[in-house]
Amino acid sequence: MVTYEIRCIECGESHDPTRPAYACTSCGGLLEAVIDEKEAAQALDEGAFRDRPLSVWRYREAIPVDDISKVASLREGGTPLIRCRRLGEEFGLESLWIKFDGTNPTGSFKDRGMTVGVTKALELGMTTVACASTGNTSASLAAYAALADLDCVVLIPEGNVALGKLAQAMMHGADVLSVRGNFDQALDVVMEASEKLGLYVLNSVNPFRIEGQKTAAYEICDQLKGVTPEALYIPVGNGGNSVAYWKGFKEYDSMDLTSGCPTMRGIQAEGAAPIAAMFEEGSDHMKPVEEPETVATAIRIGNPANWKKTVRALKESGGHASTVTDDEILEAQKFMARLEGIFPEPAGAAALAGLIKDVEEDLADRSAVTVCVSTGHGLKDPDTAIRQSAEPRTIEASVEALSKLLGGDGR
Ligand code: F0G
């Protein structure tokens, strides 16, 4: 196993990795896993990792788990990086790519984090895993808990979880609790209860989640054959995924497996944008949004737990956070579906919506290698898709009826 440390991002204090920890016991700061990059690079090379299939565990030597033979895996990662020629032409972008992480086993990027997080739960001897969720975390955790034979409790905001995600969590046998409140309140409850009730929390404040999710950045560099994208657009909710990507790009660069890092743009929905507001106001403090609202329910978060790490990551990359409206998100979702055959859930279209806005405001470099991260599959949220689409027309079961409808001679 790679040598690593669980370290506070504020005061640098080291924490015992054999005990559950989500915040610094000295100062309350967020924790991160710091791996020995030199050792990992050497071990990856000796393990001939490039001969392995593209996946989270292709990079096993850079992921801090004890025993690779004991991982809980559903073959996550290895998702397509799709060259988007039609979208590129539409917006005058020379090299536009979408990393479609909605093709993971449960339909979202969360699986990358859960394969590591649930493996860690087993290593630590925990018997119950838990999370608060806008939907995808709960769907993914429920699936991995089923696989690993762990009890699973998920707290979701009442009335604001897309149907597909709810179906998943229920089908995988999780205890699904609908909280009278929003995601931020549900997360507060889980965090407060964790120690008392012996719950292993697998929200993205758990540093091992990030260790799995960072592999998406490694994959992008490998898929671009060692070229690092110049710009990366990513949706921001609780902030964990942008932190994970930035960690991944930085590590891959330090390990000499690629060169350079992209500028990262975090995209929030206008009604749930406390991090974008910080950039707009030039403030160092986040003001939570009390009643976040957006059609992209996955990122309907007003008090992102990882805001400090996220802001640091975006700034370090030379980027920032900005907003898109619900209409812009839904428009981008249709563009992806109709020009590229990619069907994301609304949050999975937010990154492209942010890029389109930048293009329209002349803020994007049109010749740059640009990647938009699409985080979740459209089938997660069929209601929103159907609401935006024309109803199917009904015809008699006859060629005449079809012919009439298509205008006589067909098309
Ligand atoms: N996209 C999708 C589809 C998501 O489900 C989420 C987060 C994000 C983007 C934002 O990622 O929180 O790491 O910044 N969903 C969480 C959940 C909150 O509970 O499923 P983030």
Side-chain angles (χ1 to χ4, degrees), residues 108-110 132-138 165 183 203-204 209 213 235-242 298-299 301 306 345 347-348 375-376:
S108 84
F109 71 95
K110 306 286 178 176
S133 178
T134 55
N136 282 323
T137 302
S138 60
K165 306 174 188 181
F183 166 84
N203 281 97
S204 55
R209 275 270 312 272
Q213 289 172 214
V236 174
N238 218 17
N241 211 28
S242 27
I299 51 173
I301 294 175
N306 294 301
E345 64 169 281
T375 43

